[in-house]
Amino acid sequence: MNMKLTLAAMALAASSLSAQAQTEIQWWHSMSGALGDWVGDIAKDFNGKQSDYKIIPVFKGNYDESMTAAVAAFRAGNAPHILQVFEVGTATMMASKGVVVPVEQIMRDGGYKFDPKAYVPAVAGYYTAPSGQMMSFPFNSSTTVMWFNVDALKAAGVSTDKLPQTWPEVALAAAKLKASGHKCPFTTAWQGWTQLESFSTWHNTELATKGNGMKGMDARLVLNSPLHVRHIENLGNMAQQGLFVYKGRAGAAGATFESGECAMYTNSSAAYAGISKNAKFKFAVGTLPYYPDVAGAPQNTVIGGASLWAMAGKKPAENKGVAAFFNYLSDPVVQSVNHKRTGYLPVTMAAFKLTEESGFYKQNPGTDVSVNQMIRKTTEKSRGIRLGNYVQIRTIEDEELEQVWAGKKSAKDALDSIVKRGNELLVKFEKANKS
């Protein structure tokens, strides 16, 4: 009996030592709903495939909130190992000296091969510093697309054989929807991203100088060009006619499309996860609308979503765990599964080819729209938007655009104000981060 007790005690001790030997990796993220479930499943899959490391995903609120929390945690010396940061926080993260370890470095130090050329060029380029070093891991990269309630369009007499591709076609479809009694023909989520940022690159037009900030911190906003004014003025007119119904900032419009309240909307390709789960109608995805008379349009849309940053000041064993997780996420099979489930881009070319060969795009028409929009050849005006203090600038965009939708300000006055107020923040960022 004593021998049995001794053996049991030894087994328990061994089990305890094994559990202690497992290195825990804290991963702060901003995924909720269907995407929160996805993040949890990723952690379970990685944790189940090896026993050295345990990824612990922690939801820290929306992107703004998680970034603020991480800054405070870093100053207090208890930052997470991995932080998910949305794309507009990239310039700020890159300028934060000593806060992060570049993904290239952490992968190579961890003993893994890392080739930036394996990633979709527009994605890898966005997260690559001017020095040529890739700084963060492109985890959930998305782009802007147009979502359609096919049943609502058909009921309104809009042809669904060829979905609206241009802004004039969207306006005509919205008018038919309204005439048929639809209360919300068109809406948009993330208005600054969809109607200013992606709108600009899709039309091969600068949002800001210096290649939209990709070439230096002395960039300045120029989003009050005649083309920008024309577009925001058109949307403002649609708002006054009840063809465009503003549903709030960030992703607030999502629920109104999923419920069937709004029939068309621009948002992230990653809205697929929620729409496929919640919509009780036939839906379709199309390219972002464009103006057919603009030379060079359509060009390519810009990256959205977020990337994963390895935070500095961690133990070597913990950094190895971060590298192991990034290596797992780079696997083409894992990438393909994630892409099919969420609508986020497959960030490696191998994953894109694997998904294509599996027949997924043929079985689910439109799911390749986001990929095709992003893998077009980029230009100096369309590589991406990388500006300092852009989180705050997005808030300014929201404030000013809301004045247009409410009929309280002209498109030109609102865009002029965004440029003036935004450039003041860019000057501050440049001064604060000059080396």
Side-chain angles (χ1 to χ4, degrees), residues 235-315:
L235 285 181
N237 290 335
M238 285 177 68
Q240 298 310 304
Q241 296 163 34
L243 304 180
F244 162 42
V245 181
Y246 177 62
K247 290 293 183 179
R249 299 182 184 185
T256 66
F257 179 79
E258 291 175 12
S259 69
E261 180 188 346
C262 296
M264 303 183 290
Y265 97 126
T266 45
N267 193 11
S268 166
S269 56
Y272 180 79
I275 294 170
S276 59
K277 181 181 178 182
N278 301 318
K280 302 290 188 274
F281 51 83
K282 186 179 179 185
F283 62 87
V285 58
T287 56
L288 197 67
Y290 66 99
Y291 290 100
D293 60 321
V294 175
Q299 174 52 42
N300 64 278
T301 49
V302 287
I303 197 171
S307 64
L308 302 182
W309 294 78
M311 303 299 280
K314 302 300 180 183
K315 295 172 184 173

Side-chain angles (χ1 to χ4, degrees), residues 382-393:
S382 70
R383 277 177 62 210
I385 314 288
R386 192 196 290 155
L387 300 168
N389 283 335
Y390 207 67
V391 177
Q392 296 94 315
I393 291 172

